[in-house]
Amino acid sequence: MPGSAERGRPARVVVLVSGSGTNLQALLDAQGTVLESGGRPQGFEVVAVGADRDGIAGLERARRSGVPTFVCRVGEHPSRGEWDRTLTEAVAAHQPDLVVSAGFMKIVGKEFLARFGGRFINTHPALLPSFPGANAVRDALAYGVRVTGCTVHFVDDGVDTGPIIAQGVVEVREEDRADQGAALHERIKEVERVLLVDVVGRLARHGYRIEGRKVMIP
């Protein structure tokens, strides 16, 4: 993907959400800001927000910011493949350069990945490839690790197996075991929001290429 200088405009970003949308809010807050170093803009614009259900805070955050929204519910389609096709077309209508899963709790299908593979970004609350899946924080605690963190990666057809873009480290404290990782998860989310904004900004400004499992950012 070329950087913003080559495109002559900010990268167009579509964000997918299923819940509160705190990662979305971080992107919305950052998109109009200027980097401290050199006074350059972040280089991206959130052009639409999609969800798999109505009535969630993430959609309301988008509407307050004047960002168009759309909803694609799995239950309104005769098959998961039809839902995937509808979601793909809904996202494609906004002509995104990047698509971000910001707590989107549905697994996309082959058609979506065929259209947006290499442009679809996800966050995960562990240091991949360790502890993939839905219970990453709990699994990391159960294993007894001393540090964990978060990963921003491109999505492929596996479960949290796509090329890693960046990672942030979070220390595990003794008291984290008492609340089954709730406080730890909150600390991970704080790091995750900062990391996601940084990654989307760098990809948007500088462009990137994927070589095997390596993401190369100039």
Side-chain angles (χ1 to χ4, degrees):
M1 188 188 94
S4 56
E6 290 84 355
R7 286 191 307 271
R9 58 168 176 78
R12 297 174 61 84
V13 178
V14 171
V15 182
L16 301 179
V17 297
S18 289
S20 63
T22 54
N23 279 348
L24 165 64
Q25 189 65 58
L27 291 168
L28 291 171
D29 291 344
Q31 65 180 345
T33 63
V34 174
L35 298 172
E36 292 181 5
S37 57
R40 294 173 298 163
Q42 286 283 357
F44 68 87
E45 177 187 7
V46 178
V47 297
V49 173
D52 59 337
R53 50 184 169 164
D54 275 318
I56 59 173
L59 288 175
E60 184 55 35
R61 291 177 190 272
R63 290 165 184 151
R64 286 200 301 266
S65 296
V67 177
T69 63
F70 60 90
V71 177
C72 292
R73 304 174 192 82
V74 174
E76 293 182 353
H77 297 81
S79 69
R80 194 62 177 254
E82 287 294 329
W83 171 80
D84 185 63
R85 188 170 299 113
T86 299
L87 179 67
T88 301
E89 294 305 320
V91 172
H94 298 279
Q95 300 179 315
D97 298 297
L98 295 168
V99 183
V100 177
S101 171
F104 189 60
M105 301 305 292
K106 294 291 186 294
I107 297 175
V108 300
K110 293 180 179 179
E111 188 158 339
F112 192 95
L113 290 175
R115 182 77 67 94
F116 301 112
R119 292 188 285 157
F120 186 30
I121 298 167
N122 185 45
T123 62
H124 182 73
L127 296 174
L128 295 174
S130 298
F131 312 115
N135 301 306
V137 177
R138 185 192 68 189
D139 292 346
L141 273 178
Y143 200 82
V145 300
R146 296 298 180 179
V147 294
T148 185
C150 55
T151 301
V152 181
H153 65 98
F154 285 109
V155 178
D156 62 10
D157 58 2
V159 178
D160 300 321
T161 56
I164 292 170
I165 308 168
Q167 294 180 303
V169 175
V170 177
E171 181 183 7
V172 178
R173 301 170 182 169
E174 287 301 322
E175 58 266 28
D176 289 329
R177 306 180 194 287
D179 66 1
Q180 298 182 332
L184 173 60
H185 202 172
E186 289 304 312
R187 297 201 306 279
I188 291 172
K189 288 178 181 178
E190 291 175 6
V191 174
E192 182 179 77
R193 288 191 284 271
V194 174
L195 190 67
L196 179 61
V197 169
D198 177 69
V199 164
V200 172
R202 286 194 293 127
L203 296 179
R205 292 189 303 275
H206 304 299
Y208 64 93
R209 67 184 189 278
I210 302 173
E211 297 182 358
R213 291 206 53 81
K214 293 183 178 180
V215 180
M216 314 296 288
I217 304 173

